[in-house]
Amino acid sequence: YRAPELLRMQCIPCKGTREGDMYSFGIVVHEILVREGPFGLSNMRCDLTATEVINLITKTDSQIPYRPEFPFSSDNKVTRIVSMAREAWSEDPAMRPNFGTIRSILRSIRVDSSGGIVENLLGRMEKYATNLEELVEERTAQLQVKKKKVPTATLR
C-alpha cells in the first residue's frame, strides 16, 4: 500500500520510503484487526471503489485525512494496537513511528498479555515489522549495488 505523500508525487521513488513503509504497515495492522481488505473494500459495507478510496486518500483540502475505520470497541491491548496503527498512517510522514518504536510497543503489549489470540497476533505483528525492516534494508542495498554498476556499464 502506498502512502498518500507518494501517491501525490508525479515521479514516485522506485524504492519508496521508510515512512511510506510505516504507512503500509499501519494499513496491514488494520486489515489484521478488522479481518477485511484495505479500507473495507473486500466487505460489502464499503460503498467506494478502489479509485475513489485513492482519490480520498490523496486529497489535501480536507481537515481530517481519509483513513480506514476500526468499527469496534476493544480492550486495552487492542486499543494500544489501534493507536499504533493510527500513528503509523499519520498524514505527516515525520510523525510516523519507526520500526524500532513499533517493536518496543509490541513487546510491551506482549509482556502485559496473558497469552491466547492476542499474544499470537502480537507475535506475528512483531515478526512482520522485523521482516519488513530487514527487507527494506536488503532492497536498499541491492539498489545501491545496481546504481554502482550502471555508470560503469554505460562507459563501455
Side-chain angles (χ1 to χ4, degrees):
Y1 305 109
R2 287 227 167 104
E5 67 275 7
L6 297 177
L7 289 170
R8 291 182 195 116
M9 291 179 174
Q10 293 295 324
C11 183
I12 299 171
C14 62
K15 67 177 183 172
T17 63
R18 287 182 185 253
E19 294 84 2
D21 292 339
M22 181 52 63
Y23 173 89
S24 301
F25 177 76
I27 299 297
V28 170
V29 169
H30 174 265
E31 286 183 283
I32 292 169
L33 290 177
V34 299
R35 297 181 184 154
E36 294 179 353
F39 294 87
L41 290 175
S42 65
N43 190 327
M44 298 309 280
R45 81 185 161 84
C46 182
D47 297 331
L48 301 172
T49 66
T51 302
E52 290 170 327
V53 169
I54 290 171
N55 289 337
L56 288 170
I57 292 169
T58 57
K59 257 175 100 171
T60 56
D61 60 349
S62 175
Q63 291 269 342
I64 302 170
Y66 185 74
R67 298 296 185 265
E69 295 177 12
F70 289 97
F72 54 78
S73 59
S74 56
D75 64 19
N76 186 40
K77 291 172 209 138
V78 176
T79 301
R80 287 165 63 192
I81 296 170
V82 167
S83 295
M84 178 187 70
R86 287 186 173 136
E87 288 175 26
W89 66 48
S90 171
E91 183 65 22
D92 181 359
M95 297 303 295
R96 295 178 193 152
N98 61 40
F99 282 105
T101 302
I102 294 296
R103 266 198 308 266
S104 296
I105 292 168
L106 293 174
R107 282 187 185 129
S108 73
I109 295 171
R110 284 182 76 186
V111 167
D112 296 345
S113 180
S114 60
I117 294 171
V118 173
E119 175 71 21
N120 188 10
L121 172 66
L122 294 173
R124 287 177 187 224
M125 287 171 46
E126 183 177 351
K127 184 177 179 183
Y128 179 79
T130 301
N131 289 343
L132 187 58
E133 189 173 48
E134 290 170 359
L135 183 63
V136 167
E137 289 174 7
E138 179 183 320
R139 297 264 169 91
T140 301
Q142 289 173 352
L143 181 64
Q144 294 302 325
V145 168
K146 285 183 181 180
K147 281 183 177 180
K148 288 179 183 176
K149 289 181 181 178
V150 169
T152 57
T154 56
L155 293 175
R156 292 181 186 174

